[in-house]
Amino acid sequence: MPTGANSPRDDVALDVSAATASAPEPATGRRRSRLRLNSSMIIGACLVVLILGLALVSFVWTPYGPSEIDPVARLRAGSPAHPFGTDRFGRDTLTWVMYGARITLMVGVVAVGIALLIGTPIGIVSAIFAKQPWGMWIDAVIMRANDILLAFPALLLAIIFAAVYSPGTGPAMVAVGIAAIPGFARVARSGTLQVLGSEYVRAARASNRRIPAIAVVHVLPNIAGMVIVQASVAFAISVLAEAGLSFLGLGTQAPVPSWGRMLQESQQFLSTHPELALWPGLFIALAVLGFNLLGDGLRDRFDPKMDARGA
């Protein structure tokens, strides 16, 4: 046997050793990727729990009443009696922040609920028709109508509702919800098309199972992850939309506390008392960041290609 060179058996051993040494790397990459997405979900969930906690606690306890006025303590900085200070009327800012969290979450839940309950069935029905030779034109009509609705932002819809009705929390919730319908319809249609092309759905159709049963048994459970992610992102958009509408006077009206109205009322004191805008702006940012991080984490969690990307 030669002594100055590796034998074929040695070469095979070296190749096996190299393969064995490099094998853990993809697993390590997947673990790091999962760690990143878990961190995103944890941070987002903690911020969402913070906002939810403020809203729930406000039903049981607040430092002061939302309409309680102390003229002597107006425009005070943070103190043990008023941790976040007071506004121009002497109202406690912390109390208004807590009540504002309640209004923000209520608008988000109702708006996202409207969009989810209307947009998801529209997307599923559109995808089902798209798979039928005789129904492609129905799918085209539905999606073109969806595109037209996409051209109407929440602000424009809120202005229309304010002209027909009166500005308030109710019209703002409906406007934000209608504006979010196209996003849910597109996501549901895309997911449904993928599910309808799978083997188990073809087997169900071959066994003469009806389309509505396929939609309930096979489609809805498989697109639930995509819809949940869209709901989380839509919730963040709803928080911004509600604050913007209230800031413009088209959302929550006085004397109901709202983060957007707090920002609007603090404009004239930005140079002398910037903390009046700091607290509502900070909690709006935390709410939007929390729901966005939660949505990103859920998207990566439900993405079937996550392991491939982590490798």
Side-chain angles (χ1 to χ4, degrees):
M1 179 179 296
T3 57
N6 292 332
S7 66
R9 184 176 299 174
D10 294 335
D11 293 338
V12 172
L14 290 174
D15 292 340
V16 172
S17 300
T20 304
S22 60
E25 293 182 0
T28 303
R30 286 194 294 270
R31 284 196 295 270
R32 290 176 180 173
S33 181
R34 290 194 184 100
L35 180 62
R36 287 196 298 269
L37 71 91
N38 288 336
S39 299
S40 176
M41 289 182 63
I42 290 172
I43 295 174
C46 289
L47 293 177
V48 170
V49 168
L50 171 64
I51 303 301
L52 181 61
L54 284 176
L56 293 178
V57 171
S58 69
F59 285 99
V60 181
W61 173 86
T62 53
Y64 301 88
S67 301
E68 189 173 341
I69 296 175
D70 185 3
V72 178
R74 61 187 300 269
L75 296 176
R76 291 276 180 88
S79 65
H82 303 281
F84 288 1
T86 58
D87 64 3
R88 58 177 178 168
F89 298 111
R91 297 174 300 196
D92 183 62
T93 302
L94 176 58
T95 300
W96 269 58
V97 167
M98 296 175 69
Y99 271 89
R102 182 196 304 184
I103 296 297
T104 297
L105 291 179
M106 181 182 69
V107 171
V109 168
V110 174
V112 172
I114 291 173
L116 187 149
L117 294 177
I118 297 177
T120 303
I122 289 176
I124 294 175
V125 170
S126 179
I128 290 174
F129 278 116
K131 285 292 185 178
Q132 307 295 329
W134 50 268
M136 296 182 64
W137 66 272
I138 300 179
D139 169 60
V141 170
I142 293 176
M143 295 314 296
R144 296 300 76 76
N146 192 70
D147 292 339
I148 292 174
L149 183 59
L150 192 63
F152 289 86
L155 177 59
L156 181 57
L157 292 174
I159 293 174
I160 295 174
F161 289 155
V164 176
Y165 306 101
S166 58
T169 306
M173 291 188 296
V174 175
V176 175
I178 293 176
I181 288 176
F184 281 89
R186 286 178 173 273
V187 168
R189 181 180 181 273
S190 175
T192 303
L193 287 175
Q194 295 178 13
V195 174
L196 291 178
S198 60
E199 294 295 333
Y200 55 86
V201 171
R202 292 175 184 173
R205 297 183 65 178
S207 62
N208 293 326
R209 178 166 289 185
R210 295 183 178 274
I211 298 274
I214 293 176
V216 173
V217 175
H218 297 292
V219 174
L220 278 177
N222 284 283
I223 69 171
M226 302 172 65
V227 173
I228 291 173
V229 173
Q230 179 66 21
S232 180
V233 175
F235 214 112
I237 297 174
S238 299
V239 171
L240 278 179
E242 189 278 332
L245 294 175
S246 298
F247 181 86
L248 296 174
L250 299 172
T252 305
Q253 301 296 302
V256 180
S258 168
W259 291 344
R261 285 192 57 247
M262 293 176 69
L263 285 175
Q264 193 273 336
E265 293 178 359
S266 66
Q267 287 185 97
Q268 56 184 316
F269 302 104
L270 286 178
S271 59
T272 56
H273 299 279
E275 69 276 2
L276 293 177
L278 170 65
W279 294 115
L282 175 63
F283 279 94
I284 291 172
L286 290 178
V288 174
L289 178 63
F291 282 106
N292 276 328
L293 288 177
L294 184 61
D296 289 342
L298 290 174
R299 179 195 61 203
D300 294 339
R301 183 93 176 187
F302 289 117
D303 189 354
K305 299 179 180 179
M306 188 64 202
D307 288 342
R309 287 202 304 267

